[in-house]
Amino acid sequence: MKAVYTGTFDPITNGHLDIIERASHMFDEVTVLIMSNPAKHCLFTMDERRKMIEKSLHSLKGVNNVSVLVGEGLTVEMARKLGAVAIIRGIRAVSDYEYELMQATANMKLNGNVETMLMIARPEYSFLSSSVVKEIAVYGGDIAGMVPDAIIDEVRQKFADMKK
């Protein structure tokens, strides 16, 4: 069975990586699907995000069933085209659940053959989002432990370049 884990991943966090690893043990194939969201202004380009995710995946021991793709359009349609039976979404709080419930219901209406699977964030990542990482990084705060070690320098460099 195939699944897609969708998001903007701007940048990928250790919480995202944890969901990817857990999902990789549940499905034969997991595609991390980077999608654009018109409601969000992304700092990193799609290609930068793809490369950072690919770098980050190397830290997952024994995981070789995960790929990364950039998608466009409706997530449920991308899932269908890829032959996925599930869309994976991580939730941290009740507010995430309310949003994801609406999205899952809309996706179910569009294609009842693709299920949405909500995965609860581990407690140590329940506060963590790409937005939190960016807010800390813009002020020079320590993002170690929040993003994969493989991309810390890239994230820091992006903010250093912005200040120039």
Side-chain angles (χ1 to χ4, degrees):
M1 289 194 306
K2 295 180 184 179
V4 294
Y5 177 38
T6 63
T8 51
F9 306 105
D10 186 47
I12 187 170
T13 69
N14 285 337
H16 292 132
L17 204 55
D18 179 62
I19 297 284
I20 293 166
E21 183 173 24
R22 289 163 49 202
S24 75
H25 298 299
M26 298 166 63
F27 292 92
D28 298 322
E29 293 179 43
V30 175
T31 301
V32 179
L33 189 55
I34 306 164
M35 299 294 286
S36 61
N37 181 341
K40 292 184 178 181
H41 174 72
C42 289
L43 178 65
F44 295 92
T45 67
M46 291 282 218
D47 193 50
E48 287 172 326
R49 287 180 269 161
R50 181 186 54 75
K51 288 176 182 172
M52 285 192 294
I53 294 168
E54 287 171 346
K55 265 188 189 180
S56 300
L57 292 176
H58 293 297
S59 69
L60 301 180
K61 307 273 188 281
V63 173
N64 58 6
N65 62 338
V66 179
S67 59
V68 183
L69 254 171
V70 172
E72 59 181 36
L74 294 172
T75 299
V76 73
E77 264 308 295
M78 284 295 304
R80 183 193 62 75
K81 286 178 186 174
L82 294 170
V85 298
I87 297 169
I88 298 167
R89 300 291 295 163
I91 59 173
R92 298 162 298 198
V94 172
S95 57
D96 286 347
Y97 176 76
E98 291 173 353
Y99 173 79
E100 295 301 342
L101 177 63
M102 288 187 299
Q103 293 300 309
T105 304
N107 287 340
M108 196 180 297
K109 182 80 171 150
L110 293 169
N111 186 337
N113 296 320
V114 178
E115 293 292 337
T116 299
M117 184 175 150
L118 303 179
M119 295 183 70
I120 308 300
R122 292 190 190 278
E124 60 265 33
Y125 303 126
S126 63
F127 74 96
L128 189 55
S129 68
S130 296
S131 298
V132 165
V133 168
K134 288 186 281 193
E135 190 170 333
I136 292 169
V138 77
Y139 293 108
D142 185 10
I143 57 170
M146 295 181 194
V147 298
D149 292 343
I151 66 163
I152 285 178
D153 291 340
E154 288 174 64
V155 175
R156 287 180 179 151
Q157 188 61 51
K158 181 66 102 171
F159 286 98
D161 291 348
M162 286 174 50
K163 288 183 180 181
K164 291 179 184 177

